[in-house]
Amino acid sequence: MALNRPAPTLDTASTTTHGAHLSRSLGVGGNVLITLSGISPASSVFILGGAALAGYGTGVFWGFLLAGVISILIAVCYAELASRHPIAGGDYSLVSRVLGPAAGAAVFFIGLVSLPLIVAIFALGVADYLGVAIAGLDPLATALIVIALAVVTACFNIRTNAWVTGAFLFVEMAALALLALLGFVHVERPITDLLDPQALDAATGGLAPLGIAGLVLAVTQGIFSYNGYGGAVYFAEETKDARRAIAKAVLWSAGITVLAELVPLTAILMGADSLEDLFGAALPVESFLSANAGEAVSVVVLVAIALAIVNAIIAIALQSGRLLFAAARDRALPAAIARPLAVVSARTKMPVAATIVMGVLALAACFIPFDVLLNATGSTLAFSYGFIALAAFVVRRRGATDAAASADRDATAVASARTGGYRMPLWPLPPAIALLSIGAIFVIGILDPAQWLSLGIAFGIVGAGFAYYALYLRRSPAALHLLHGDDDEEFSA
């Protein structure tokens, strides 16, 4: 079905919005501040890094180093895709416009389910860290209050959120700098000792070589710990000169995250008095901090980690609101639901209704058993990255086809749209290597019975997305933006 709409003005794509009126007021720095806040490197080091130290020992060094390489490869995929399609909505918007609406619906379902659940997981952990300063906090009540406050904050204008999250981010980066300093000024072993992966043997209490399977799991933990740099894409329509700036924001966020997590973890491994005691501790990072900085400093840092978690919840609330807003604006939802969710506040220029709805889902998720939350989010990341890498693998061929098809309409405008954006080096190697790495993660997961429930839930979510496309979107003439959107669609008003 042909669409009758005026030809878009492509040469102003980097300074206009996609149909709605989000406030294009962020620079690269503001975008990076919000994106890094959603990643929360400090809480990743204390929670995920600590769990990795306990499970994989010195294998964390190689695991997080290799995970950093894979994360940078995926980041360049995000950067090129976002440079071509600088639209709010994150993975959903990128995948639907490159791989089509069926894959886009699957990715939308991943985000719709996983983002509120991740917020709930973070919020339920806040009391554990605030408890060192405020005794007797109830985890559920604390989580509900934190989410409510975070959603209210996320409804303020985007520049206010950049300042708020930036202030919190400064505190958590200071905590990571302290960890690195404590490790490097008290070096107990050279970095070469970390090149031979060893983990704690529960039977003997000593160190034993870490096998390949353990090392792959350490890589997987690292990838999950670094996750979130693609969040910069959610704010594409609120970032100035988006075609260039979003690619920079993604790459800066990925690079800073890898360094901010790998450096302190390496410092801990080099500076710990005893690796056996470190790996055997219930909370390895907290144990190292207490032993080297004292109890008083540890309390201050743990409170800072609680603030970092709150900061991450605000940032993820911002992202999840834009996911739902983008899908509503694309008419990928029934009209009665989409109409209010696609509204942008005239005062704050924010998708308030969509943000509140996702916040309500996060509040409801707090009542789900914690182990179910973990299993429901554990394997969805691999699917998301797989879709992004596949899209980056095919985007240039499709881009060339679209450009040729559009040349007879406006050759000058098409050329303008195709220049000035980011093009990854050595294409197609980055997406190809990323796809192979993600495939290896799936194979390891299938071979590990402990991962079957998580994988099964992830397959179910993706399958539900494809079913939604087949049963509703494909049959819905109202879903014009998603079903018939070509490469010009993101530039139309």
Side-chain angles (χ1 to χ4, degrees):
M1 181 177 70
L3 294 178
N4 296 318
R5 58 179 184 265
T9 307
L10 298 180
D11 58 350
T12 61
S14 63
T15 58
T16 59
T17 59
H18 175 61
H21 300 285
L22 299 173
S23 173
R24 196 173 290 281
S25 56
L26 288 179
V28 174
N31 188 310
V32 171
L33 288 177
I34 300 176
T35 303
L36 287 176
S37 296
I39 300 169
S40 190
S43 57
S44 293
V45 166
F46 275 79
I47 300 172
L48 299 176
L53 288 171
Y56 314 117
T58 60
V60 167
F61 175 75
W62 276 116
F64 275 61
L65 181 62
L66 293 173
V69 173
I70 295 171
S71 296
I72 296 299
L73 292 176
I74 296 172
V76 300
C77 295
Y78 270 111
E80 176 153 340
L81 291 169
S83 182
R84 291 171 178 263
H85 304 280
I87 318 166
D91 296 15
Y92 151 75
S93 292
L94 300 180
V95 170
S96 63
R97 282 159 177 79
V98 177
L99 299 182
V107 172
F108 170 65
F109 268 58
I110 290 174
L112 185 66
V113 174
S114 64
L115 287 175
L117 298 189
I118 290 171
V119 167
I121 290 171
F122 277 17
L124 289 167
V126 170
D128 292 337
Y129 289 91
L130 279 182
V132 300
I134 307 173
L137 288 177
D138 178 70
L140 178 59
T142 303
L144 296 177
I145 293 170
V146 165
I147 291 175
L149 293 175
V151 171
V152 170
T153 303
C155 292
F156 296 158
N157 71 70
I158 194 67
R159 285 182 61 83
T160 299
N161 276 281
W163 280 106
V164 170
T165 55
F168 281 120
L169 183 65
F170 176 81
V171 174
E172 69 171 291
M173 297 301 274
L176 292 177
L178 176 62
L179 281 177
L181 180 64
L182 291 173
F184 288 138
V185 300
H186 187 242
V187 172
E188 290 289 329
R189 61 195 58 81
I191 195 170
T192 52
D193 284 6
L194 309 182
L195 301 182
D196 180 22
Q198 293 183 309
L200 187 67
D201 187 336
T204 65
L207 298 181
L210 181 69
I212 293 296
L215 186 59
V216 171
L217 290 174
V219 173
T220 303
Q221 187 85 317
I223 292 173
F224 188 72
S225 182
Y226 295 144
N227 175 51
Y229 42 84
V233 183
Y234 286 99
F235 310 106
E237 292 175 43
E238 292 155 288
T239 304
K240 303 170 186 174
D241 192 18
R243 190 177 289 282
R244 295 177 177 85
I246 293 301
K248 293 179 182 178
V250 170
L251 296 175
W252 273 109
S253 297
I256 292 171
T257 298
V258 171
L259 290 176
E261 296 187 26
L262 181 59
V263 170
L265 285 171
T266 302
I268 290 170
L269 288 169
M270 295 174 64
D273 292 331
S274 166
L275 290 179
E276 291 84 354
D277 290 344
L278 176 70
F279 303 152
L283 299 170
V285 178
E286 288 88 335
S287 174
F288 171 84
L289 177 65
S290 180
N292 289 273
E295 291 298 327
V297 173
S298 296
V299 169
V300 173
V301 172
L302 292 179
V303 171
I305 299 306
L307 296 177
I309 296 173
V310 173
N311 196 32
I313 293 170
I314 295 172
I316 297 172
L318 288 165
Q319 295 171 7
S320 60
R322 280 146 185 78
L323 168 69
L324 192 57
F325 162 76
R329 187 181 56 184
D330 282 343
R331 305 176 199 175
L333 301 171
I337 298 173
R339 194 173 297 111
L341 296 178
V343 173
V344 173
S345 167
R347 184 172 63 85
T348 63
K349 303 299 183 183
M350 301 287 275
V352 173
T355 302
I356 291 174
V357 168
M358 294 298 280
V360 170
L361 293 178
L363 288 170
C366 290
F367 295 92
I368 299 173
F370 196 75
D371 58 339
V372 176
L373 291 175
L374 292 176
N375 280 310
T377 57
S379 298
T380 55
L381 177 62
F383 278 97
S384 294
Y385 281 172
F387 279 115
I388 288 295
L390 182 60
F393 192 81
V394 304
V395 68
R396 288 196 190 177
R397 178 168 296 180
R398 175 181 171 181
T401 303
D402 290 346
S406 302
D408 61 340
R409 293 201 310 263
D410 193 345
T412 302
V414 170
S416 175
R418 298 299 175 197
T419 58
Y422 176 82
R423 291 173 66 86
M424 74 179 75
L426 302 178
W427 183 89
L429 283 180
I433 296 173
L435 281 171
L436 288 174
S437 302
I438 293 164
I441 291 171
F442 273 117
V443 170
I444 294 296
I446 291 171
L447 295 177
D448 181 5
Q451 303 297 318
W452 288 355
L453 177 59
S454 178
L455 282 171
I457 293 174
F459 274 108
I461 294 171
V462 171
F466 281 114
Y468 177 74
Y469 166 76
L471 298 176
Y472 172 72
L473 280 182
R474 189 168 60 88
R475 304 169 184 269
S476 173
L480 299 179
H481 284 67
L482 183 61
L483 296 178
H484 302 288
D486 59 23
D487 199 48
D488 295 340
E489 186 65 40
E490 72 244 43
F491 306 114
S492 65

